Every structure is written in C-alpha cells, then in structure tokens.
Amino acid sequence: MSTAKIRLYVEHPLGEGQTVPLSRDQAHYLFGVMRQGTGDAVLLFNGQDGEWRATVAQATKRAGELLVEDQTCPQQNPPDLWLLFAPIKKARTDFIVEKAAEMGAARIIPVQTEFTNSERIRQDRLQAHAVEAAEQCGGTYVPDVTDLQKLDRLLADWPEDRQLMFCDEALAGERERVHKDNEAAPWAILIGPEGGFSDAERARLHALPFAHPTSLGPRILRADTAAVAAMTVWQQRFGDWT
C-alpha cells in the first residue's frame, strides 16, 4: 500500500468504493506537476465526510479518476467563528485568508469600511486560497469566503446571538475585555483597515451590545498581523485550542 503524500479538496461525496472524477486542473496538478500515476495514493476531503484515502484508477493529462478506499480521519469542523477584515494589498489579503483557514475560521467575510483601500476583491481567487490552505494544514473543512460586504449593512443585519470581538487599535496597551462568560456563543472577529476605523464607525461599534472592544497588546499591529493575533487570542480563550 503506497503512502499518500498529497491532499485534495473535492466537491464530491466520499465513501468506501466511490469513484471521484478529477477536474482538468486537479489532473494537471496530480499527474503533470506531482508526477503521480495509476495506483498511487491520494488523501481526499470535501468539507463534510472527513478525510479518505483513495488511489488513482485512471490518469491522463487532462482527466482522471480516483477510487475511494477507507476513511483516515473523521470530519472535524471548526468553532462557529467568523473573521471580518478590510481587504488590503493583494498578497497580504491572500495571507489573511490563508491563515484564517489554517487557524479555524468557519467563515471569512471581507468588509468595506470608510477607510478600506480596496473596493473590489476576487472572491473566487480568495476561495481558492482557502481551499489550498485547508489542503496543506490537514483540515477537513474549508471556510466559505464571501464577496465584499459593506460593514454598516452587515452590522445592521447582525444575528442577535453572535458576539463580536472588535479589535480597536485605539485601545493599544489596554487590557483585553473579552469575558469568559460568552464562551458558548457564536463569535466573530473584526479587523479594521490600514487607516483604522473612522470616528463614526468606532462610536457605533462601541455602542453595540454584542461588541467587545479589544486591545491586541501594547503596539498597533498591521492588519494581517492583527488577524493572526486576534484569532490566536480567541482560539485560546473560546476555541478548539483549549
């Protein structure tokens, strides 16, 4: 039995004896780039059925088919945590999405604030980055990456039971205020743009009953650093790292 060295996300049901067709891109990656062939093992996951070991049944440059054999890991979903962030430069936005997927975000929501530099994103490209991150980190879940949403509209329709960890750079140096008594609630984290939140946005967020203005230490962090730091703080307090 060959050892599986590659993990692939597939949009196909997984179970013993099932066959999984490969897309053209997946076939090119598996057979053209990674030089896999008939009989080689691949690990598969679809975000619902856990991880499964499969072997290559058919292999061509543009297509292929895998045969699912046995489950190697049960489905492991992340905590009910959303990450909201204002898009920044392309490479750093990609970094935020990748790290959020690795660190256990269930949903990733790019938001447009008053000082957001980018008014457009490529949702399909960011979703692909989330898939690649899940493939690399051994996760069995891929977070949904939404299209860009206006922060004010998102807050207006906010679910009543979801708590919000509002990372306010104006509180740098203060003690964080996220209390353990909200442990069982669904949560979201909000990271602002490079220019920070406007006075109006900050005032509104501080007034919301579900928002928890929070400091991320004694220094003001870049947006991509803040996303990683905030998820680390939340995961250690409420998430599946404890």
Side-chain angles (χ1 to χ4, degrees):
M1 181 180 294
S2 61
T3 302
K5 301 178 181 179
I6 300 168
R7 299 181 81 243
L8 286 180
Y9 171 77
V10 295
E11 295 180 352
H12 195 281
L14 296 175
E16 185 178 353
Q18 292 222 350
T19 56
V20 177
L22 296 174
S23 69
R24 181 171 179 171
D25 288 345
Q26 288 173 327
H28 171 71
Y29 170 72
L30 202 59
F31 309 134
V33 178
M34 301 305 294
R35 304 298 182 185
Q36 301 295 289
T38 303
D40 286 333
V42 183
L43 296 175
L44 304 178
F45 68 103
N46 61 6
Q48 300 177 12
D49 299 322
E51 179 188 83
W52 291 74
R53 183 182 182 277
T55 54
V56 178
Q58 297 179 23
T60 69
K61 291 183 178 180
R62 298 185 179 182
E65 189 173 81
L66 306 178
L67 176 63
V68 181
E69 296 183 341
D70 54 85
Q71 189 177 54
T72 54
C73 182
Q75 179 63 26
Q76 296 177 335
N77 292 329
D80 189 357
L81 174 66
W82 299 353
L83 176 67
L84 285 61
F85 75 99
I88 45 180
K89 293 179 181 179
K90 179 180 176 183
R92 289 166 60 193
T93 292
D94 294 347
F95 175 89
I96 291 174
V97 170
E98 290 167 0
K99 299 312 165 190
E102 290 177 22
M103 298 181 72
R107 195 177 191 207
I108 302 171
I109 307 175
V111 296
Q112 185 174 4
T113 69
E114 290 189 33
F115 297 152
T116 299
N117 292 330
S118 177
E119 296 184 356
R120 294 182 180 179
I121 62 166
R122 280 281 307 277
Q123 184 275 337
D124 58 338
R125 183 175 59 82
L126 294 180
Q127 186 67 65
H129 279 293
V131 169
E132 291 171 5
E135 289 175 339
Q136 293 296 319
C137 76
T140 57
Y141 180 89
V142 177
D144 177 42
V145 182
T146 73
D147 210 342
L148 188 66
Q149 301 188 37
K150 289 185 178 294
L151 178 61
D152 57 351
R153 294 180 184 173
L154 192 62
L155 293 175
D157 296 327
W158 195 259
E160 292 183 0
D161 63 337
R162 186 172 295 275
Q163 303 298 303
L164 178 65
M165 181 177 168
F166 159 42
C167 300
D168 186 357
E169 73 278 2
L171 298 179
E174 295 190 17
R175 293 179 62 85
E176 57 95 357
R177 309 177 189 177
V178 181
H179 301 298
K180 194 73 173 179
D181 55 2
N182 293 301
E183 182 175 9
W187 275 85
I189 294 171
L190 172 60
I191 304 295
E194 289 181 315
F197 294 100
S198 70
D199 291 342
E201 288 171 335
R202 183 173 286 106
R204 181 182 183 185
L205 285 161
H206 275 271
L208 293 172
F210 53 80
H212 303 264
T214 303
S215 167
L216 293 177
R219 291 165 290 277
I220 296 176
L221 305 179
R222 289 193 342 176
D224 47 346
T225 308
V228 174
M231 289 200 64
T232 301
V233 169
W234 188 91
Q235 281 282 27
Q236 290 181 330
R237 177 63 64 88
F238 300 113
D240 55 9
W241 292 13
T242 56

